[in-house]
Amino acid sequence: MGRRQKAIKADDYFEYGPFQIARFGKLTYFQNNITAEQHEELMKKIESNYDKQVSFINSLVSEIRELIMQCNPLSLLKYAHSRFIQSLMGIESEVQLSKENVHIGRELEYIQSVLAASIPLNSSNEYEDQSYVFFQISDKIQKLYSVYENFVYYYTVHHVKNMITSDQDYVSFLIEAQAATFHRGDRYPVHEITHIKDLLTPHEDELQKIFNISVPQLLEGLQNIQQSLSQGMLQSMNKLECLMELFEQKKVDLADQENVLQIIESDTELKNLKDEFTENFLGAGLHDLNKLTDWSQIFLENLSWSLGQCNNYFTRNQFPGWPVIEMPIYKKPFIKIDQKYYCFDYYNVFDNIYRVIQKTITDLDPDYKEKWKDIQAKATEDTVIHLFKKLLPGCITYQSNYYPIGTSLKQCAENDLLVLYDNNLIIIEVKSGSYTYTSPMLDIESHIKSLQTLIAKADSQTERTLRYLKSQETVKIYNEQRIEKATIRISDFDEIAQMCVSLDNFNEFAAKADKLKFLKISTFAERKPA
């Protein structure tokens, strides 16, 4: 008989109902001991509480809206922005963000969306102290987000029977797609302006025609907004510090307040510093788009909501006013208050500005829609090529490649990009189409279709190109006019990689695309045996 293994005692152990969790050093072991009967009973219990949960969230949304309508909108938005800045203090990486940090950071976009769909009842000035109401709003929004995180499971259990399949992959995707609605920040700030410049520069003439604004004007304004929303508060405090240093240099007696004010008003340097600090730190100077940009009136008007202008956010049949359904701020990132235009939410501006401008222009000029798509596809491919040439100096690239599907060039397939570098071949398909903006709670199928179009279709295209490259010892690729541009010998390459690049960011799913079984994608790379 073999020797019996000695039982190892767990360093930590926790048991709750059918769930067991044990820790052995750095390893954590989780086991679900629920039986099929217990699972069925749990699903029935969750299903029976669905309507109660919906009613509770609807009531909470109504309470938040009523509180917001009592406030001075400008004061409330400044407060929400300061909360957002505070939630990031001491954070060097997103992995340090707690759930509370994330929820605090999301207060601002919800408050602005509610204001876009509501006319405030309060006409108080922006300096009146309404902090007690502000704190109530924050507490209730925090509660709303926390309750929704649990509601995801109620919703999934309730609606899984109406899905096209009860396959576990679809169920898991529905849960993850809803959780992904909390994600913000598509790019690092250093890349934002360059990204927008690459995409909008080809549309210079149309921007001038529709909005009377140039791309350089637009980019300069966005740079000012980026600086103001991210560094503005700190810079305002630096102004105060400079003001205090000037007081010392000029030997001003700060105890004599009346004399201090007289000195400030009579000294141009002191007055300018005081006015700048007051306007930016206490006022709304950091958010005033007329001060931050020289954008045209028509551009600002088309990208801004007036108070109460959005008339369908709280009147929709399903989940009215919920923050996980498409919020007004996604469509228009700015807000108009007392004939002035303001920007408060950093992420919604830079995550959405390109698609917002695209939709606004094509709505105003429908004839330009197809041209925009064509330019967008070309600009996206050009950007990918530029990045590869930067990352792989000396690489050879072939763009817009055609090859015969059969034996004749009369019917050809297209490949977007081939990159050849140091015995490596990268087969790339670039997708410039947009990822669906609808909430997964309203249309999960549109999310699945988006992934099938932007990932699965692109993957099948790279697979088709690879099959052609392997079909003979050497093969030819052609340009659009079917003129030969290169001959490729597949045996020259030690490694071959297939890559799909999309314009829109959906990293939470792209990073594990090969694990999403409904996409049925191929292996991404192959290596020649040693």
Side-chain angles (χ1 to χ4, degrees):
M1 290 180 62
R3 260 170 116 185
R4 292 185 61 187
Q5 291 186 339
K6 184 178 179 181
I8 302 175
K9 185 177 180 181
D11 298 313
D12 288 302
Y13 178 81
F14 174 76
E15 183 176 354
Y16 183 76
F19 304 114
Q20 292 179 307
I21 301 177
R23 181 179 67 82
F24 301 89
K26 294 181 179 180
L27 300 177
T28 301
Y29 173 80
F30 176 86
Q31 182 167 310
N32 180 0
N33 297 315
I34 195 169
T35 64
E37 292 76 15
Q38 288 175 319
H39 181 266
E40 184 177 356
E41 184 64 29
L42 177 61
M43 295 301 102
K44 288 180 180 178
K45 185 177 180 180
I46 292 175
E47 164 70 15
S48 67
N49 281 299
Y50 174 79
D51 290 335
K52 182 179 178 181
Q53 291 294 315
V54 171
S55 178
F56 179 78
I57 294 177
N58 282 337
S59 297
L60 193 53
V61 165
S62 296
E63 292 171 13
I64 293 169
R65 188 187 188 193
E66 288 174 8
L67 287 171
I68 288 175
M69 291 170 66
Q70 296 174 24
C71 299
N72 176 279
L74 202 53
S75 299
L76 179 58
L77 287 167
K78 288 192 302 182
Y79 159 80
H81 179 258
S82 69
R83 289 264 295 172
F84 168 70
I85 295 297
Q86 290 168 18
S87 73
L88 299 178
M89 286 185 175
I91 302 295
E92 296 180 359
S93 171
E94 55 267 25
V95 297
Q96 296 176 280
L97 289 169
S98 66
K99 182 185 295 187
E100 183 182 12
N101 290 135
V102 173
H103 290 174
I104 290 173
R106 297 293 302 279
E107 285 180 25
L108 176 54
E109 64 178 8
Y110 186 55
I111 289 171
Q112 184 169 320
S113 292
V114 172
L115 287 170
S118 313
I119 299 177
L121 305 174
N122 192 306
S123 59
S124 63
N125 69 68
E126 62 178 290
Y127 297 108
E128 181 180 326
D129 184 12
Q130 293 184 297
S131 55
Y132 175 70
V133 184
F134 294 171
F135 296 154
Q136 282 186 292
I137 292 169
S138 287
D139 289 343
K140 288 185 180 293
I141 293 177
Q142 292 282 304
K143 187 175 183 180
L144 175 61
Y145 284 139
S146 295
V147 170
Y148 171 74
E149 287 184 338
N150 291 325
F151 176 78
V152 166
Y153 300 100
Y154 288 92
Y155 174 84
T156 303
V157 171
H158 180 73
H159 286 275
V160 71
K161 60 179 179 289
N162 297 320
M163 294 176 62
I164 60 174
T165 176
S166 59
D167 186 277
Q168 189 59 41
D169 285 334
Y170 280 84
V171 177
S172 298
F173 178 70
L174 175 56
I175 294 173
E176 292 178 24
Q178 292 174 86
T181 59
F182 284 92
H183 297 173
R184 289 293 178 271
D186 286 346
R187 283 163 297 278
Y188 289 107
V190 69
H191 300 304
E192 297 285 11
I193 303 301
T194 302
H195 173 74
I196 297 168
K197 178 183 178 182
D198 290 342
L199 294 173
L200 288 182
T201 296
H203 302 286
E204 170 77 35
D205 292 343
E206 187 71 6
L207 282 165
Q208 291 277 13
K209 171 186 167 183
I210 301 297
F211 294 131
N212 190 28
I213 186 175
S214 68
V215 172
Q217 267 182 292
L218 177 60
L219 297 176
E220 183 179 1
L222 288 172
Q223 284 178 318
N224 292 340
I225 290 171
Q226 186 181 59
Q227 179 73 12
S228 185
L229 295 185
S230 59
Q231 303 293 326
M233 277 197 168
L234 178 60
Q235 291 173 349
S236 295
M237 293 304 297
N238 291 338
K239 296 290 182 185
L240 179 61
E241 187 177 341
C242 291
L243 188 61
M244 301 303 293
E245 289 176 356
L246 280 175
F247 281 151
E248 290 185 13
Q249 293 175 16
K250 296 174 183 290
K251 302 189 185 310
V252 177
D253 182 6
L254 297 179
D256 188 349
Q257 293 186 11
E258 185 174 342
N259 185 47
V260 169
L261 291 175
Q262 289 178 353
I263 293 173
I264 290 175
E265 292 301 318
S266 62
D267 188 304
T268 303
E269 188 178 14
L270 288 174
K271 186 176 185 306
N272 289 340
L273 276 173
K274 185 267 294 183
D275 290 345
E276 192 172 350
F277 169 76
T278 303
E279 176 62 19
N280 289 344
F281 194 79
L282 303 177
L286 296 177
H287 310 280
D288 189 338
L289 291 175
N290 288 116
K291 293 185 176 181
L292 294 172
T293 75
D294 62 349
W295 294 343
S296 64
Q297 175 81 11
I298 188 173
F299 181 76
L300 291 170
E301 188 69 24
N302 275 280
L303 270 68
S304 303
W305 289 110
S306 295
L307 298 174
Q309 183 185 3
C310 181
N311 55 20
N312 65 352
Y313 187 48
F314 285 98
T315 58
R316 66 183 74 203
N317 293 327
Q318 287 185 290
F319 316 116
W322 287 35
V324 291
I325 308 301
E326 184 188 6
M327 290 189 276
I329 195 172
Y330 297 171
K331 295 180 179 179
K332 297 183 180 183
F334 309 134
I335 190 163
K336 183 180 179 182
I337 302 173
D338 295 333
Q339 304 306 310
K340 289 187 175 182
Y341 303 93
Y342 298 96
C343 176
F344 289 91
D345 193 301
Y346 178 95
Y347 285 127
N348 270 288
V349 172
F350 288 97
D351 284 358
N352 303 326
I353 190 69
Y354 171 73
R355 292 299 186 189
V356 169
I357 291 174
Q358 176 188 6
K359 188 174 189 312
T360 305
I361 285 181
T362 53
D363 283 348
L364 294 172
D365 185 4
D367 293 339
Y368 192 72
K369 191 169 187 177
E370 288 305 314
K371 186 174 181 180
W372 184 292
K373 286 183 179 178
D374 292 340
I375 292 174
Q376 176 177 268
K378 178 69 164 55
T380 307
E381 288 182 20
D382 288 346
T383 299
V384 174
I385 290 175
H386 170 74
L387 290 174
F388 267 103
K389 287 184 175 180
K390 190 174 181 180
L391 292 169
L392 305 175
C395 69
I396 299 172
T397 61
Y398 296 108
Q399 183 180 7
S400 298
N401 309 304
Y402 291 81
Y403 55 90
I405 292 178
T407 58
S408 171
L409 286 174
K410 290 181 179 180
Q411 188 178 8
C412 287
E414 183 188 7
N415 156 258
D416 290 332
L417 181 63
L418 295 176
V419 177
L420 288 63
Y421 181 76
D422 192 26
N423 296 329
N424 292 270
L425 172 65
I426 308 174
I427 306 169
I428 302 167
E429 287 296 327
V430 181
K431 294 297 180 183
S432 60
S434 61
Y435 189 83
T436 183
Y437 58 85
T438 56
S439 167
M441 288 176 61
L442 298 179
D443 188 5
I444 187 60
E445 292 304 316
S446 69
H447 287 255
I448 293 172
K449 287 177 182 177
S450 283
L451 290 177
Q452 288 172 336
T453 299
L454 300 176
I455 295 182
K457 184 178 179 181
D459 178 70
S460 68
Q461 289 170 327
T462 64
E463 184 68 18
R464 181 182 62 195
T465 302
L466 179 59
R467 285 199 302 270
Y468 171 72
L469 296 176
K470 286 181 171 182
S471 63
Q472 299 180 48
E473 185 178 347
T474 61
V475 295
K476 296 177 181 179
I477 57 173
Y478 304 83
N479 63 16
E480 190 173 2
Q481 289 73 41
R482 308 308 190 256
I483 298 173
E484 181 183 335
K485 64 162 69 171
T487 298
I488 294 178
R489 186 191 304 272
I490 198 72
S491 59
D492 290 341
F493 304 103
D494 295 329
E495 291 195 25
I496 303 167
Q498 296 162 246
M499 184 178 295
C500 309
V501 181
S502 67
L503 174 56
D504 277 6
N505 186 318
F506 43 93
N507 280 344
E508 57 274 13
F509 300 118
K512 59 173 187 177
D514 57 326
K515 304 295 191 300
L516 300 174
K517 295 181 181 177
F518 58 80
L519 291 182
K520 299 177 182 178
I521 64 174
S522 63
T523 304
F524 276 79
E526 97 179 37
R527 178 176 297 175
K528 182 185 293 185

